[in-house]
Amino acid sequence: MQIPVARPVIGPDEVAAVSEVLLSGMLAQGERVAELESKFAAYCGTAQGIAVNNGTAALHAALLACGIGPGDEVIVPAFSFIATATAVSMCGAKPVFADVDEETFNIRPDQVKERITPKTKAVIGVHLFGQPFDVDPVQEICEAHSLVLIEDAAQAHGALYHGTKVGNFGRCGCFSFYATKNMITGEGGMVTTSDKPTADRLRLIVNHGQSEKYLHTVLGYNYRMTDIAAAIGIVQLRKLDKFNLRRKKNAEYYAANLSAKGLIKPKVADNVQHVYHQYVVRLTEEFPLSREAFMDYLKAKGIGSAVHYPIPIHRQPLYAPVAEPDPCPVATKLAGTVLSLPVHPSLDAKDLATVCEAVNKVK
Ligand SMILES: Cc1ncc(COP(=O)(O)O)c(C=O)c1O
């Protein structure tokens, strides 16, 4: 049987929780959503959680709640999932791309500093692949220049930076519960914040700008989560630490057992707890196969793999043309050399051994 690169872990308790909602006849936003919001906020250590229907909506609503609009610039890493940047564009603002660190894949504080202009209003730091970005220097830059910091924590539920959970550092933390994430609701997301005015604005924005029934005071959207999704999320949240521990143990196994020449294993920064949404290796020129040939080889051995992400955001047709010289050369290099191996919690000892044996035998 194929070892997939990602697999949602759903058990009878998620099924029972969804059945209960379905049979209650109350399918849209209700008690389950409120319960997930308060439990997720408590888990992260923030004052509030505002549930939404996906992580992109979380980012868009967070930016709007922080006052981002036309004419503004928001600094984002060039190496991330596209939504980090498109959420900025959805506000009518301009994403400005900062390069990333070659070893941690995360946004570089010096690059953030360099990209600041009089139009800069915010920075989105992404905790990419489950590893917190270096928050302290980015926070310092934001404070010095009166910029809003937003965390894109779509891939990092439960990750720690200097012992504190992500989602606490920015004005808002934005999470995704998409089907392959560390905890899931199928589609879904959450904004965490401890700033009351921001939370109040978020609650309006995600529900048609409605302050009272059929009274609409600001431009809003329908970004609500359903009770069906929230019921899954409540059960998944209970299992999140266990899932993350499995991911970490799987990554530790790879760290100890992968030894192919020209394959660089992921680096974990000091003082962070990585939650391994993805286990991303880099292939150097010393590696005997091209990335495509390696993926085919793994597939033939029943092992799934994936490229996150093959095109850096600043080179996507949406944001082209790219200035010369390339303003984010590390992001471009990583896009050409990274490969994600399976690290999800449902891998067993045999799967891990199969992956290592296949990788180490590459010629
Ligand atoms: C870093 C990052 N930001 C934002 C998103 C958007 O989340 P969603 O797919 O739930 O809209 C994702 C999802 O893959 C992501 O990985």
Side-chain angles (χ1 to χ4, degrees):
M1 209 182 78
Q2 177 91 6
I3 303 170
V5 73
R7 180 192 277 148
V9 186
I10 292 289
D13 28 3
E14 281 89 346
V15 174
V18 169
S19 298
E20 199 183 306
V21 173
L22 292 176
L23 294 171
S24 77
M26 303 291 284
L27 309 187
Q29 184 157 330
E31 282 173 17
R32 294 284 84 80
V33 171
E35 184 182 341
L36 179 62
E37 287 182 335
S38 64
K39 288 188 167 161
F40 193 78
Y43 175 83
C44 293
T46 56
Q48 296 208 41
I50 294 92
V52 288
N53 53 358
N54 58 67
T56 310
L59 285 164
H60 184 206
L63 288 160
L64 291 172
C66 293
I68 305 304
D72 296 338
E73 292 181 357
V74 177
I75 299 172
V76 302
F79 194 58
S80 180
F81 180 62
I82 188 76
T84 307
T86 49
V88 175
S89 304
M90 287 175 205
C91 299
K94 182 182 170 195
V96 174
F97 300 104
D99 211 357
V100 295
D101 180 79
E102 191 163 354
E103 292 188 312
T104 64
F105 311 124
N106 274 329
I107 194 162
R108 270 172 42 198
D110 63 309
Q111 282 277 307
V112 171
K113 209 170 189 174
E114 249 179 52
R115 301 293 194 263
I116 294 172
T117 75
K119 293 182 176 170
T120 310
K121 291 281 158 38
V123 176
I124 303 180
V126 182
H127 306 299
L128 198 66
F129 304 141
Q131 166 149 243
F133 69 90
D134 196 3
V135 177
D136 282 347
V138 177
Q139 228 169 15
E140 259 171 47
I141 295 166
C142 287
E143 274 163 27
H145 296 265
S146 303
L147 308 177
V148 174
L149 177 62
I150 291 174
E151 296 171 71
D152 181 340
Q155 306 186 352
H157 324 65
L160 303 176
Y161 178 80
H162 291 205
T164 299
K165 293 234 169 72
V166 301
N168 269 284
F169 300 102
R171 171 97 54 89
C172 297
C174 302
F175 292 82
S176 165
F177 302 138
Y178 178 70
T180 59
K181 295 293 194 278
N182 292 39
M183 67 166 272
I184 67 175
T185 61
E187 296 275 8
M190 186 79 72
V191 184
T192 53
T193 186
S194 294
D195 184 64
K196 171 94 172 45
T198 303
D200 292 346
R201 281 196 294 278
L202 275 161
R203 291 197 189 279
L204 286 178
I205 289 164
V206 304
N207 187 23
H208 298 291
Q210 182 171 269
S211 53
E212 287 170 32
K213 197 161 173 71
Y214 300 131
L215 179 68
H216 305 274
T217 46
V218 297
L219 176 62
Y221 299 80
N222 179 356
Y223 282 167
R224 294 182 309 248
M225 179 182 272
T226 65
D227 262 18
I228 303 169
I232 303 171
I234 292 163
V235 179
Q236 287 269 308
L237 181 59
R238 281 204 298 268
K239 302 177 178 175
L240 177 59
D241 285 341
K242 197 179 77 190
F243 287 157
N244 282 344
L245 190 62
R246 288 290 297 271
R247 288 177 181 272
K248 185 160 170 266
K249 291 225 173 304
N250 293 345
E252 282 166 4
Y253 183 91
Y254 285 151
N257 292 286
L258 285 177
S259 60
K261 199 171 163 206
L263 179 144
I264 304 175
K265 290 173 268 190
K267 181 184 162 183
V268 184
D270 293 338
N271 285 318
V272 307
Q273 188 157 307
H274 196 318
V275 292
Y276 293 99
H277 173 56
Q278 301 292 350
Y279 187 88
V280 180
V281 299
R282 287 181 286 145
L283 306 179
T284 69
E285 277 165 12
E286 280 192 303
F287 193 74
L289 298 179
S290 71
R291 183 168 66 184
E292 287 61 38
F294 185 37
M295 291 176 79
D296 287 345
Y297 163 89
L298 290 172
K299 193 171 168 198
K301 299 213 173 271
I303 300 165
S305 62
V307 177
H308 302 105
Y309 298 93
I311 305 172
I313 306 181
H314 70 296
R315 301 188 80 94
Q316 289 287 350
L318 171 65
Y319 294 118
V322 181
E324 285 298 337
D326 188 332
C328 302
V330 178
T332 301
K333 182 177 171 193
L334 288 174
T337 52
V338 290
L339 186 69
S340 305
L341 298 174
V343 74
H344 52 84
S346 54
L347 297 172
D348 62 21
K350 191 163 149 278
D351 295 331
L352 294 167
T354 303
V355 173
C356 289
E357 195 185 319
V359 172
N360 294 346
K361 276 193 183 154
V362 163
K363 281 198 202 65

